[in-house]
Amino acid sequence: MQIYRFVYFLFPFLITNFTAKIHFVLNTKRIVITGGPGTGKTSVIDALKENDFYCYDEIIRAMTLAATKNTNPEVHISNPIDFVSDPKQFNTDLINGRVANFNAAELLVRDFCFFDRGIPDVLAYMDFFNQTYDTFFTDACSNHKYDMVFLLPPWKAIYKSDSERFESFEQAQQIHEHLVKTYQKFGYTIIEVPFDSINERRNFILNSIIK
């Protein structure tokens, strides 16, 4: 009988302690890797994946392919944010996708995870294309804060266009400035990743995290 009383009184403590430990384990740091088009960030993300780090892919590439699927590709000379029939809806879908990824990280049992672009990127690109946005967009940025932000600067030596990248290098430089301005507006300290090999850039990011 005594043992049952002991368990009865101890049970709430055990549950509270167990829940606290679970919360601690699931407190995964969210880390953004961003940059203008053609900066090499996706290659760095791939290198992190090869080392078994959890990474959320850039969702706009799939959205770009869907937006251009049934249209003459010669018409598309810019980012899909600029040429889709309903840019606001496109941006809404994009930001909702990034918020969903942000929230999904809550369930990861890892010290940290990476995101190929973050929620503020949407606003930076909208600014670049002179598109207006309301509090739905700014609130999404304010209410979903990442733990660290790494920015890859424009690098002309490796820049090239492809079927999903429409910007010139000069436009990529302008986008870079918008990214800096937008992330700083939401209170982030940006860590710039230096020019180097893919592995060295990956190592720079990892070393910066564990300092």
Side-chain angles (χ1 to χ4, degrees):
M1 189 67 176
Q2 294 295 329
I3 187 65
Y4 290 121
R5 289 180 180 176
F6 176 75
V7 172
Y8 177 80
F9 288 109
L10 187 61
F11 184 74
F13 170 78
L14 293 173
I15 289 298
T16 301
N17 192 46
F18 177 76
T19 303
K21 287 183 178 180
I22 288 296
H23 177 73
F24 175 77
V25 170
L26 297 182
N27 190 23
T28 304
K29 287 186 177 180
R30 299 172 173 89
I31 301 168
V32 170
I33 300 178
T34 189
T39 57
K41 66 177 177 55
T42 302
S43 296
V44 174
I45 287 279
D46 290 340
L48 289 164
K49 289 179 182 177
E50 290 173 3
N51 288 112
D52 200 34
F53 291 103
Y54 198 93
C55 306
Y56 289 92
D57 291 327
E58 161 64 291
I59 62 175
I60 196 172
R61 283 199 165 235
M63 295 175 66
T64 299
L65 288 173
T68 61
K69 186 176 180 180
N70 298 315
T71 314
N72 182 357
E74 293 182 0
V75 173
H76 309 302
I77 56 174
S78 64
N79 189 287
I81 291 174
D82 191 41
F83 68 67
V84 292
S85 59
D86 189 346
K88 185 175 182 180
Q89 185 59 54
F90 184 92
N91 288 319
T92 299
D93 293 341
L94 179 56
I95 213 163
N96 283 337
R98 291 193 176 147
V99 167
N101 283 347
F102 181 98
N103 292 334
E106 186 72 26
L107 300 178
L108 292 179
V109 186
R110 291 173 178 260
D111 291 331
F112 49 84
C113 65
F114 295 97
F115 296 82
D116 187 347
R117 296 197 181 281
I119 298 167
D121 283 60
V122 181
L123 278 66
Y125 272 83
M126 292 178 77
D127 285 336
F128 171 72
F129 286 110
N130 295 314
Q131 296 175 348
T132 60
Y133 45 82
D134 53 29
T135 55
F136 167 81
F137 293 89
T138 55
D139 286 350
C141 294
S142 298
N143 297 333
H144 303 86
K145 299 302 289 287
Y146 301 93
D147 295 284
M148 298 182 77
V149 175
F150 289 91
L151 176 69
L152 281 70
W155 191 356
K156 193 167 187 177
I158 67 169
Y159 187 84
K160 62 179 180 179
S161 300
D162 61 26
S163 60
E164 299 130 39
R165 181 182 300 130
F166 308 97
E167 298 87 358
S168 66
F169 181 73
E170 290 70 24
Q171 289 173 318
Q173 291 176 305
Q174 295 171 29
I175 291 170
H176 170 82
E177 296 303 323
H178 282 291
L179 288 167
V180 171
K181 181 179 178 181
T182 302
Y183 274 95
Q184 289 180 340
K185 179 172 67 176
F186 288 101
Y188 289 101
T189 298
I190 299 170
I191 303 173
E192 186 168 296
V193 181
F195 299 144
D196 212 325
S197 68
I198 294 171
N199 288 342
E200 287 303 314
R201 296 179 112 184
R202 175 203 60 199
N203 293 342
F204 172 86
I205 291 170
L206 293 175
N207 290 335
S208 298
I209 293 169
I210 63 177
K211 281 184 179 178

